Amino acid sequence: MTQPNEKLIDAKQKLAEQRSAKGIGTGHESAPKKDRLPPGQRLASGFPVLDLGIQPEITTTDWSLEITGAAEKRTFKWDDFLKLPQTKLTTDFHCVTTWSIYDAKVEGVLWRDFLAAVKPDAAATHVMFHSYDGYSTNLPLQALNADPQAMLIHAFGGQPLERIHGGPVRGWVPTLYAWKSAKWVKGVEFMLKDKRGFWEVRGYHNHGDPWKEEVPR
Ligand SMILES: Nc1nc2c(c(=O)[nH]1)N[C@H]1C(S)=C(S)[C@@H](COP(=O)(O)O)O[C@H]1N2
Ligand SMILES: [Mo]
């Protein structure tokens, strides 16, 4: 596997910094969640692709999902994952680089069904998603539990999730900016306290609510 594309990472970070320099997105606005399109967003045509310059090629046979940290250790292989309750949803999706998509048809395992299967310790407060490209992103367990559409998905638009979009399996957390939805997921770590993921240590907002414009700064 090659190294992450540092230039691409820098460019993306700058783009996001410019957005916060424009004075939007201090994260303290009390934006009502009534509009479908969050402030500062525009509808994309198609489904843009964003990554670190690495798109790992993981077959369903090679793929596995490891549960680590404050939970019963467990590894899901592809067949195990498909045996979990499967749900189809239609959701919107918002990236902090200002594109949004409407009515994405996704299929996979709802976070709440996943939680029921993995049983984290009661003391766990945060989750880190780990990916095959070295990416990671952190979320409070509460934020995941509060999103009825949070999922781990393996299909999009009725087709197996494309490699460029994180197949075989990616996170899908529509209530937060897209960087919280890890592609090529290989691990879910339950944590007893918060720790920052890939973009979060590089200045992205730790929470990332698009309706409050919790953008990088
Ligand atoms: N593993 C991994 N997941 C990732 C990323 C990444 O670089 N690697 N980028 C994030 C960012 S910043 C965005 S906007 C979305 C983009 O998802 P898409 O390429 O399917 O549109 O994936 C998120 N998940
Ligand atoms: Mo992003």
Side-chain angles (χ1 to χ4, degrees):
M1 199 172 291
T2 51
Q3 290 302 304
N5 183 336
E6 292 298 336
K7 268 196 195 134
L8 194 142
I9 293 168
D10 279 353
K12 196 147 173 265
Q13 189 161 357
K14 290 231 172 61
L15 200 82
E17 278 162 4
Q18 280 163 14
R19 179 171 182 177
S20 57
K22 279 181 200 145
I24 52 172
T26 58
H28 297 292
E29 296 87 352
S30 50
K33 282 201 180 183
K34 60 172 189 286
D35 294 331
R36 185 171 185 187
L37 195 64
Q41 297 293 116
R42 61 191 160 68
L43 268 189
S45 53
F47 188 8
V49 173
L50 279 109
D51 53 55
L52 307 176
I54 299 173
Q55 297 176 335
E57 190 162 4
I58 315 292
T59 64
T60 53
T61 319
D62 291 343
W63 180 80
S64 64
L65 177 64
E66 234 183 308
I67 308 303
T68 60
E72 269 173 46
K73 304 282 167 281
R74 189 160 168 195
T75 303
F76 291 89
K77 294 298 291 174
W78 182 247
D79 291 345
D80 309 321
F81 188 66
L82 293 187
K83 277 182 205 141
L84 296 173
Q86 302 291 314
T87 301
K88 289 182 187 170
L89 285 184
T90 302
T91 84
D92 298 346
F93 195 57
H94 312 288
C95 171
V96 71
T97 59
T98 74
W99 56 264
S100 291
I101 55 174
Y102 283 171
D103 297 325
K105 303 229 176 330
V106 295
E107 181 177 358
V109 179
L110 282 176
W111 176 256
R112 60 162 188 254
D113 291 330
F114 187 69
L115 256 198
V118 301
K119 301 187 184 67
D121 298 352
T125 56
H126 291 78
V127 173
M128 186 78 80
F129 288 92
H130 295 277
S131 300
Y132 281 97
D133 60 344
Y135 188 80
S136 58
T137 189
N138 58 308
L139 295 103
L141 202 42
Q142 218 182 2
L144 279 168
N145 296 346
D147 185 345
Q149 297 186 318
M151 301 178 80
L152 287 162
I153 66 164
H154 57 74
F156 187 99
Q159 301 295 323
L161 181 64
E162 283 182 275
R163 170 187 173 194
I164 55 169
H165 288 298
V169 176
R170 77 174 296 171
W172 193 259
V173 188
T175 52
L176 298 175
Y177 280 124
W179 86 77
K180 293 290 184 182
S181 294
K183 297 158 74 165
W184 310 291
V185 173
K186 68 165 184 182
V188 175
E189 177 189 359
F190 289 92
M191 306 191 292
L192 299 176
K193 59 181 169 54
D194 200 11
K195 198 167 73 186
R196 286 175 171 253
F198 184 90
W199 282 119
E200 292 84 4
V201 300
R202 287 167 177 78
Y204 274 39
H205 197 282
N206 200 39
H207 185 236
D209 183 335
W211 284 273
K212 294 182 185 162
E213 289 196 273
E214 290 175 341
V215 302
R217 50 187 117 158

